[in-house]
Amino acid sequence: MAAVARAHPNIALVKYWGKADDELIIPAAGSMSMTLDKFATTTSVALTSGSDTFELNGTTADAKATARTTAFLDLVRDLAAQAGLDTAQAGAQVVSSNEGPTAAGMASSASGFAALATAAATAFGVELSSRQLSRLARRGSGSASRSLIDRFAVWHAGTSDATSYAEPISAPDMAMVSVTVNATAKKVSSRDGMTATRDTSPYYQAWIDTTVTTLNEMLAACAAEDFTRIGQLTETHAHRMHAVINASHPPIRYLAPESWQIFEEVTAMRQMGLEAYATADAGPNVVIICRPDDAAAVAARVGAYGQINTFSPGPGAHLVDVA
Amino acid sequence: MAAVARAHPNIALVKYWGKADDELIIPAAGSMSMTLDKFATTTSVALTSGSDTFELNGTTADAKATARTTAFLDLVRDLAAQAGLDTAQAGAQVVSSNEGPTAAGMASSASGFAALATAAATAFGVELSSRQLSRLARRGSGSASRSLIDRFAVWHAGTSDATSYAEPISAPDMAMVSVTVNATAKKVSSRDGMTATRDTSPYYQAWIDTTVTTLNEMLAACAAEDFTRIGQLTETHAHRMHAVINASHPPIRYLAPESWQIFEEVTAMRQMGLEAYATADAGPNVVIICRPDDAAAVAARVGAYGQINTFSPGPGAHLVDVA
């Protein structure tokens, strides 16, 4: 009645920014990502007769994070009840630790809920397919659905709980070089930023429409193993995400001045023949994609801007211990 | 048969970015601006029997600038011909000098064509009303239509040459503090950037629609002398312009990292009780609007980011000499 799982963050090349259903976390458009091979979250879930507890990075989590974890565990208990399991009544002791920076745009909520879904399903005795696990993780944090998946994932937007899940796709091997510009917590959470964008940005519907188009183009580029096309689509799409967010009222800015400097630097790299493309999630960090052989050269070019990490495609969420 | 005119740049609070008619320079949406009291362009036009010549800032202008001037003078010659004047056959010796930086986002083309329209009409003997002069200046550079106007101008988009012109509006007194981040020429001209935005940005139509809405809100805020509302509309609208541009493919970035730093600084000013709002045209410079009494405090806060100039509402284009 205890399990430990491990999952990694993922970085989207086609972004998730906007919900069609806030409660079920069904996105307004699909997305596509690479699962990383570093910055894992390791989460253990042990059933107890008491109420849920949640320890994060060595300390008891705050009330908000604990409530979000309990709400997620309620989904697992619902699944246990549907399967006629006694564990439907159990509490859970959740202990989680992130190897990467928390809440600074490195998607710790994605690895966190992917690991939690995987560990909790096993601890509660609920048997789920990869697709069902992806759907479950999605309910905790949308992008967690993708961290279930090895290497490269497409998250189908779907139109219901059953049809909104991630699955693997094939893509050419690539590296990601992340620049951690500022690892403090962001001022506006992704959740709040998404809502503000949908409610106040005049570009929101066009953003959703262009994301649908870009995802189709990206899947075609991946299938064709066309790295240049993948990179161009990624960089334009990242600008479009920050643009739709910037256009909110009042304006929201996730990118820092240093982030824009890195975008300029990446443009300069290409002009000098080093083929790299930049993207950024809802925070100041910038992630550069390049061919694996170019990763060291790219890292050297941006070392002055912040802490550098280089990633390869990594494993999906997986159990590491069951007791 | 010679005239000298002077005109000032203007800074739009509601921006012009997108043409409905490229040939006639009819914008896709109206705009609103403050004419500045510094950085004037002074232009003399003297009729000659030879072909047109154009001297800019003390040197013979390049072929592209000369061709653009001749094309503009052709419009004046057409008006002269319509009025049955002999001057329709004349060439013109144009000598122009800018007191502000050229082609770095301080709208030297606006003051330039406003001064040229005013001087040329007089030199060629064509009598034009303020509205007709605004329409004429518009053909040289869209935003020049607004530099004809004293203090604050609305440029009605219109749907034809006759209905697309600027006229004065009343607005509360305010100051503008400009920060010249980088006074070198910009990489993508406004003309080319506008075309790329219209052709490749998925947000273009929403940008035009929101500009129409914002202009109506801005005119109401000006009529109500509501400075806070004017400022909020200005800052959000500026973000939306740069957002629609950033979303082009490939992305276009006019703002420099330093520009984003100044936006952050202005947000910090407001949090400390100094009411200021930022905007930026198609270049890296940032212009901060504030109440006149706050201008010195605002200037002191941004002095480290570049050269500072403080503006009050200035005069429209006007003749300074006729010979």
Side-chain angles (χ1 to χ4, degrees):
Chain A
M1 298 311 205
V4 183
R6 201 168 151 80
H8 291 78
N10 67 79
I11 296 291
L13 283 68
V14 180
K15 305 292 189 188
Y16 156 51
W17 195 261
K19 296 184 180 77
D21 185 317
D22 289 352
E23 172 65 22
L24 294 173
I25 310 191
I26 295 173
S31 54
M32 179 260 165
S33 61
M34 182 177 110
T35 302
L36 306 183
D37 64 339
K38 292 178 189 156
F39 290 173
T41 298
T42 304
T43 299
S44 70
V45 176
L47 300 197
T48 69
S49 53
S51 57
D52 299 334
T53 62
F54 180 32
E55 180 187 310
L56 178 61
N57 295 334
T59 56
T60 303
D62 63 25
K64 193 176 165 191
T66 302
R68 196 169 165 192
T69 301
T70 289
F72 185 80
L73 291 169
D74 285 344
L75 299 173
V76 183
R77 283 185 279 260
D78 288 348
L79 292 169
Q82 285 163 30
L85 301 171
D86 292 344
T87 55
Q89 312 302 323
Q93 194 173 32
V94 177
V95 178
S96 190
S97 65
N98 293 323
E99 293 165 22
T102 299
M106 282 311 293
S108 60
S109 65
S111 54
F113 281 101
L116 180 58
T118 304
T122 299
F124 281 86
V126 179
E127 286 187 46
L128 299 179
S129 67
S130 167
R131 182 179 297 189
Q132 288 168 319
L133 274 172
S134 173
R135 290 168 45 198
L136 175 60
R138 190 199 77 227
R139 302 288 297 274
S141 176
S143 59
S145 65
R146 297 187 309 240
S147 276
L148 260 291
I149 308 300
D150 274 357
R151 294 178 59 86
F152 297 95
V154 59
W155 174 12
H156 302 289
T159 55
S160 63
D161 177 56
T163 54
S164 187
Y165 59 87
E167 64 181 0
I169 58 164
S170 171
D173 203 23
M174 65 182 81
M176 287 187 170
V177 176
S178 76
V179 190
T180 304
V181 168
N182 182 346
T184 59
K186 41 191 174 176
K187 281 173 277 184
V188 181
S189 73
S190 292
R191 236 162 230 240
D192 292 348
M194 262 187 219
T195 302
T197 303
R198 186 177 61 190
D199 292 350
T200 71
S201 177
Y203 305 156
Y204 180 71
Q205 189 54 51
W207 154 251
I208 295 304
D209 294 344
T210 196
T211 301
V212 170
T213 303
T214 299
L215 179 59
N216 288 334
E217 292 168 341
M218 182 65 82
L219 294 176
C222 286
E225 305 218 325
D226 184 345
F227 175 74
T228 296
R229 178 79 174 143
I230 291 170
Q232 291 168 343
L233 288 168
T234 298
E235 191 166 299
T236 291
H237 185 71
H239 278 78
R240 288 175 177 171
M241 183 179 86
H242 287 280
V244 71
I245 294 169
N246 287 163
S248 299
H249 181 74
I252 297 172
R253 296 183 293 263
Y254 284 114
L255 295 178
E258 295 78 5
S259 320
W260 291 99
Q261 264 180 301
I262 299 166
F263 273 91
E264 296 292 348
E265 186 70 35
V266 170
T267 301
M269 284 183 208
R270 285 201 300 272
Q271 283 162 353
M272 295 178 72
L274 181 56
E275 196 177 356
Y277 301 91
T279 187
D281 284 335
N285 298 340
V286 177
V287 176
I288 305 170
I289 70 170
C290 60
R291 293 194 174 86
D293 288 349
D294 291 333
V298 168
R301 284 287 296 263
V302 290
Y305 294 103
Q307 199 192 321
I308 304 297
N309 287 280
T310 300
F311 303 95
S312 297
H318 53 282
L319 288 168
V320 292
D321 196 20
V322 182
Chain B
M1 296 312 208
V4 184
R6 202 167 149 81
H8 290 79
N10 67 79
I11 296 291
L13 284 68
V14 179
K15 306 291 189 189
Y16 155 51
W17 195 260
K19 296 185 181 76
D21 185 318
D22 289 353
E23 172 65 22
L24 293 174
I25 311 192
I26 294 173
S31 54
M32 179 261 165
S33 61
M34 182 177 110
T35 301
L36 306 183
D37 64 338
K38 292 178 190 156
F39 290 172
T41 298
T42 303
T43 299
S44 69
V45 176
L47 299 198
T48 69
S49 53
S51 57
D52 298 333
T53 62
F54 180 32
E55 180 188 310
L56 177 62
N57 294 334
T59 55
T60 303
D62 63 25
K64 192 176 164 190
T66 301
R68 197 169 164 193
T69 300
T70 288
F72 185 80
L73 291 169
D74 286 343
L75 298 174
V76 183
R77 284 185 278 259
D78 287 348
L79 292 169
Q82 284 163 33
L85 301 170
D86 291 344
T87 56
Q89 311 303 323
Q93 192 173 34
V94 177
V95 179
S96 189
S97 64
N98 292 323
E99 292 165 22
T102 299
M106 283 310 295
S108 59
S109 65
S111 54
F113 280 102
L116 179 59
T118 304
T122 299
F124 282 85
V126 178
E127 285 187 47
L128 298 179
S129 67
S130 167
R131 181 179 297 188
Q132 289 169 319
L133 274 173
S134 174
R135 289 167 47 198
L136 175 61
R138 191 199 77 227
R139 301 290 296 274
S141 175
S143 58
S145 65
R146 298 186 309 239
S147 276
L148 260 291
I149 308 299
D150 275 357
R151 296 177 59 86
F152 297 95
V154 58
W155 174 12
H156 303 289
T159 54
S160 63
D161 177 56
T163 54
S164 187
Y165 59 88
E167 64 181 359
I169 59 165
S170 171
D173 204 22
M174 65 182 81
M176 288 187 169
V177 176
S178 77
V179 190
T180 304
V181 168
N182 182 346
T184 58
K186 42 192 173 175
K187 280 173 278 184
V188 181
S189 72
S190 292
R191 237 163 228 239
D192 291 347
M194 264 188 216
T195 302
T197 302
R198 185 177 64 189
D199 291 349
T200 71
S201 177
Y203 305 157
Y204 180 71
Q205 188 54 52
W207 154 251
I208 296 303
D209 294 344
T210 196
T211 301
V212 170
T213 304
T214 298
L215 179 59
N216 288 333
E217 292 168 341
M218 182 65 82
L219 294 176
C222 287
E225 304 219 325
D226 184 346
F227 176 74
T228 296
R229 178 79 174 143
I230 290 169
Q232 291 168 344
L233 288 168
T234 298
E235 191 165 300
T236 291
H237 185 71
H239 279 79
R240 288 174 179 172
M241 183 179 86
H242 287 280
V244 71
I245 294 169
N246 288 162
S248 300
H249 180 75
I252 297 171
R253 296 182 295 264
Y254 285 115
L255 294 179
E258 295 77 6
S259 320
W260 291 98
Q261 263 180 301
I262 300 167
F263 274 91
E264 296 292 347
E265 186 70 36
V266 169
T267 300
M269 285 183 207
R270 285 201 299 274
Q271 285 162 354
M272 296 179 74
L274 181 57
E275 195 175 357
Y277 302 90
T279 187
D281 285 335
N285 298 341
V286 177
V287 175
I288 305 170
I289 69 169
C290 61
R291 293 193 175 87
D293 288 349
D294 291 332
V298 168
R301 285 286 297 265
V302 291
Y305 294 102
Q307 199 193 322
I308 304 297
N309 288 280
T310 301
F311 303 96
S312 298
H318 53 282
L319 287 169
V320 292
D321 196 21
V322 181

